[in-house]
Amino acid sequence: AAPFGWLYLLSPAPVIAFGALFLMQVPLAWHNVTSFTIGQALAPVRMRATASVIMSIMVTLSGIGLAPLVVGALNDYFLPRFGPDAIRYSLTIMFAFAILASAASLLSTIWLKSDLSRTQTENAT
């Protein structure tokens, strides 16, 4: 999503910006499905509801709680230098975190297969 997000934020042409906005939203929605599916597969059967709630709380706290605060602080920092365009650069920096999150997700796949097989074995007994 980050390349499309950067194109959306930094594009001078509205048509390109709206196209990039659409293309950015698709991968942003994909991760929810896979994250919650993996969370449910890894949690023991008796703890799946709890795992789902914990994941939902963490997504909400970081996405709705922390992210706007960070964007606002960055915007205040960039405002004297960039004026009204400060919000573009504040949001652009936030997409760097999307790349870090993607890298962490890819790194976690190293252990995913063994964790899934262990969990399935535990749930079978």
Side-chain angles (χ1 to χ4, degrees):
F4 296 116
W6 286 324
L7 182 61
Y8 161 66
L9 291 168
L10 302 174
S11 176
V15 173
I16 294 172
F18 283 121
L21 177 63
F22 172 77
L23 294 172
M24 174 188 75
Q25 293 301 320
V26 174
L28 286 177
W30 284 342
H31 86 86
N32 286 327
V33 176
T34 55
S35 297
F36 279 89
T37 301
I38 290 170
Q40 292 296 297
L42 290 173
V45 175
R46 62 182 171 70
M47 296 179 66
R48 287 188 177 161
T50 304
S52 183
V53 168
I54 290 171
M55 288 177 65
S56 295
I57 288 172
M58 295 310 294
V59 167
T60 302
L61 287 177
S62 62
I64 296 174
L66 185 61
L69 178 69
V70 173
V71 170
L74 287 170
N75 197 47
D76 289 343
Y77 177 77
F78 289 136
L79 193 61
R81 183 170 182 188
F82 297 111
D85 284 336
I87 190 70
R88 283 184 179 206
Y89 300 108
S90 301
L91 290 170
T92 300
I93 289 173
M94 293 304 289
F95 277 107
F97 290 106
I99 291 175
L100 291 173
S102 295
S105 293
L106 286 173
L107 185 62
S108 71
T109 60
I110 294 170
W111 300 281
L112 182 61
K113 192 172 184 178
S114 64
D115 288 346
L116 282 172
S117 64
R118 187 191 75 235
T119 302
Q120 290 173 351
T121 304
E122 290 172 1
N123 286 339
T125 57

